[in-house]
Amino acid sequence: MVLDEIPGFWAVVPAGGAGTRLWPLSRSRAPKFLHDLTGSGRSLLEQTHDRLAPLAGERVLVVTGEAHRAAVRDQLAMLPEDAVVAEPSARDSMAAIGLAAALLERRGAEVMGSFAADHVIAEPERFAASVAAAVAAARDGWLVTIGIEPTFASSAFGYIREGEELPGHPAARRVVEFVEKPSVAVAEEYLATGQYRWNAGMFVVRPSVLLDLLAEQDPDFAATLRTIAAEPDRLGELWESLPKIAIDHAVAEPAAAAGKVATIPGGFGWDDVGDFDSLATLLGGADTCSVLGDPALTQLIDASGIVVPGSGRTVAVIGLDDIVVVDTPDALLVTTRARAQEVKNVVAALKQKGRTDLV
Amino acid sequence: MVLDEIPGFWAVVPAGGAGTRLWPLSRSRAPKFLHDLTGSGRSLLEQTHDRLAPLAGERVLVVTGEAHRAAVRDQLAMLPEDAVVAEPSARDSMAAIGLAAALLERRGAEVMGSFAADHVIAEPERFAASVAAAVAAARDGWLVTIGIEPTFASSAFGYIREGEELPGHPAARRVVEFVEKPSVAVAEEYLATGQYRWNAGMFVVRPSVLLDLLAEQDPDFAATLRTIAAEPDRLGELWESLPKIAIDHAVAEPAAAAGKVATIPGGFGWDDVGDFDSLATLLGGADTCSVLGDPALTQLIDASGIVVPGSGRTVAVIGLDDIVVVDTPDALLVTTRARAQEVKNVVAALKQKGRTDLV
């Protein structure tokens, strides 16, 4: 299947987030999106670009932290110089995506779609089809979110509640509401209704529509973003005044309440690779031992889980099921898939000890 | 308590054995005895010398492999030059201890006691008392073995079966027989009788008595050892002709059958540190996480077992009980205390792959 470019469509890639639950692979200096977490030979950022380039061509805008601008440019060297925008500091997703919207509004972009740099998608063609359907609805003025078909009752994601069909857009539905991460029991109820989808933060919208929706909630915020786009030299001066708020709270939730949000179903094998447990599932599933790296560096006897031989050293594991072993040049993690969420506690403890060199 | 030197007593220290179950700490180039396995700041070899020096003064003879002569001399620099004898190749314990006996016979030693370089003893004073009692019996012509009081029904050690008391030596008993490593069930029966002790390979004997006992079984073997002692230049030429046999089979078992072996009880907290399970017990016991190395290099959350941060890297462990994590500059081991015996299988697999650099 050859994917067609979508005329007037710009891909926005917010490349942020620390990924502390993937320590010691992911570090503040080299976060998750810069790493090849699937053994494909491509980083998550590169894979994100690989997915979007057929749809957007060179119309790609990456928003990342100042500290990562060089690494992002290295990995995406084919993009024009102005395709990578550096935030002076991390100010959450509304500022990052809003800045992209303001810049693209001035560049005359018809529709933008924002897709995180650190997610994994199994079926790029089906992803492209969802994006194309979302762009069609966005052209009609909707704020469109791609709602991921849930595969289990996760308590790690927010949910989108679907409503009626959208006239003229057979695949689309209205969004009744966005709901915060539920308990597993509540998530099970959601799944039983068939009306809920995971919120993966994928928004497709006309740049002006997004900024106008923001202006309805916070006129200064939208105005400041448009000022920065008009006078890029003032980025450093104005950036720190922007509120730290997620796009979901700033725009998506109030817009949904006002009946202005639509959703397109996404059934393309999505994973946000939140921790080593989900990475183990992604790479191999149960009862196997996935090796992310060179298998010749491992000696495994009765082991299952995930082993990352990431320092060139030989890693031997004997008699451990659902184990997580992550070997890097300066730090080693040993835990279980079940406790993988707690890796962030190690990062917190190291920070407290002043070992910022390790986090 | 000040320990008295024992006149005419020579300490022999066979420093050999690969210690493959302690890989990756123990390597063929740097075996177990060269390492500080107790966190005392002294290697097992140094600790062995520390224990014996009060009894033997400078009358110490270390028999080691050619490859380890320099390292042994480095650690025991206080000893005279001829205190370290290098075997051209490993030919099991009879050749090593027999060579020491032949050399000491020529030096006029009255009694020798042989004690492995890689064991740990908790109470050196009680050890010294056992050695003194063994030397007294050895002066009367007995081959004396120190029999360790068993603390559990181990299937990892050979056993010594005690018989009648030895006239004139209140602590000593005759040895009825040496028995091979039993099953745990059989070991439990042994312990129930109260007649069995662990064979730790500690032999105290007049050098001539040992060589004469050997000559009864294998006259050429004893004669060749005496030839080497008389003409040290012929060591390289004659060494490879010596049988590869343990002193237990070559001398101790037939001598016991002939009623010529006595035993002295050893209740001084002995451990041969056979694997990481026993090392964990030695260092901390159950429900704790022992750290062999710098605790500042570890981040432990709900972990028990043993962690060896041996490469300078930070080691984080979360949610694992009875875990074994051994971190070295070129190899990493992760296993459980229960599976610690199988570490030797990793060493075997690495050898088969040609990774002799790692073993």
Side-chain angles (χ1 to χ4, degrees), chain B residues 173-188:
Chain B
R173 289 178 169 270
R174 288 171 184 274
V175 170
V176 178
E177 60 174 343
F178 290 87
V179 292
E180 301 273 349
K181 297 173 186 176
S183 66
V184 170
V186 170
E188 281 168 354

Side-chain angles (χ1 to χ4, degrees), chain B residues 278-305:
Chain B
S278 57
L279 186 57
T281 300
L282 188 67
L283 295 181
D287 303 327
T288 65
C289 194
S290 302
V291 176
L292 180 59
D294 182 359
L297 289 174
T298 62
Q299 282 292 329
L300 309 177
I301 300 175
D302 289 348
S304 70

Side-chain angles (χ1 to χ4, degrees), chain A residues 23 295-299 301-302 311-320 323-325 327-336 339-340 342-346 349-350 353 355 358, chain B residues 23 295-299 301-302 311-320 323-325 327-336 339-340 342-346 349-350 353 355 358:
Chain A
W23 181 91
L297 289 174
T298 62
Q299 283 291 330
I301 299 175
D302 290 348
S311 75
R313 306 184 315 155
T314 289
V315 178
V317 183
I318 306 171
L320 283 156
I323 193 80
V324 174
V325 177
D327 181 51
T328 73
D330 59 355
L332 165 68
L333 168 70
V334 181
T335 185
T336 62
R339 303 290 290 266
E342 295 175 51
V343 171
K344 62 181 186 294
N345 300 344
V346 168
L350 288 169
K353 283 167 82 174
R355 293 301 304 269
L358 290 178
Chain B
W23 181 91
L297 289 174
T298 62
Q299 282 292 329
I301 300 175
D302 289 348
S311 76
R313 305 184 315 156
T314 288
V315 179
V317 183
I318 306 171
L320 283 156
I323 193 78
V324 174
V325 178
D327 182 50
T328 73
D330 59 354
L332 165 68
L333 169 71
V334 180
T335 186
T336 63
R339 302 290 290 265
E342 295 175 51
V343 171
K344 62 181 187 294
N345 299 344
V346 168
L350 288 169
K353 283 167 81 175
R355 294 300 305 269
L358 290 178

Side-chain angles (χ1 to χ4, degrees), chain B residues 118-306:
Chain B
D118 56 2
H119 295 173
V120 169
I121 283 169
E123 299 177 72
E125 285 93 353
R126 296 187 68 182
F127 168 75
S130 291
V131 172
V135 169
R139 288 192 203 279
D140 285 353
W142 295 90
L143 172 59
V144 187
T145 183
I146 298 180
I148 308 296
E149 287 173 9
T151 52
F152 67 104
S154 173
S155 61
F157 308 126
Y159 283 72
I160 298 162
R161 186 171 159 209
E162 293 181 337
E164 298 167 6
E165 290 179 11
L166 211 64
H169 296 283
R173 289 178 169 270
R174 288 171 184 274
V175 170
V176 178
E177 60 174 343
F178 290 87
V179 292
E180 301 273 349
K181 297 173 186 176
S183 66
V184 170
V186 170
E188 281 168 354
E189 291 173 22
Y190 287 175
L191 262 64
T193 68
Q195 297 176 353
Y196 288 81
R197 294 179 169 277
W198 287 338
N199 176 10
M202 297 178 178
F203 291 102
V204 182
V205 64
R206 287 183 178 277
S208 301
V209 168
L210 182 67
L211 291 169
D212 291 348
L213 286 171
L214 175 60
E216 287 176 20
Q217 306 300 321
D218 188 338
D220 286 350
F221 198 160
T224 304
L225 290 170
R226 282 171 161 144
T227 300
I228 293 171
E231 304 169 66
D233 290 349
R234 298 185 63 191
L235 174 64
E237 166 205 342
L238 296 172
W239 186 255
E240 303 301 327
S241 72
L242 296 178
K244 270 191 173 174
I245 186 171
I247 188 172
D248 304 76
H249 301 317
V251 164
E253 288 164 11
K260 297 177 177 174
V261 185
T263 183
I264 293 288
F268 34 71
W270 171 86
D271 202 309
D272 77 337
V273 205
D275 57 31
F276 287 110
D277 182 42
S278 57
L279 186 57
T281 300
L282 188 67
L283 295 181
D287 303 327
T288 65
C289 194
S290 302
V291 176
L292 180 59
D294 182 359
L297 289 174
T298 62
Q299 282 292 329
L300 309 177
I301 300 175
D302 289 348
S304 70
I306 179 168

Side-chain angles (χ1 to χ4, degrees), chain A residues 186-196:
Chain A
V186 171
E188 281 168 356
E189 291 172 22
Y190 287 176
L191 263 62
T193 68
Q195 296 176 353
Y196 288 81

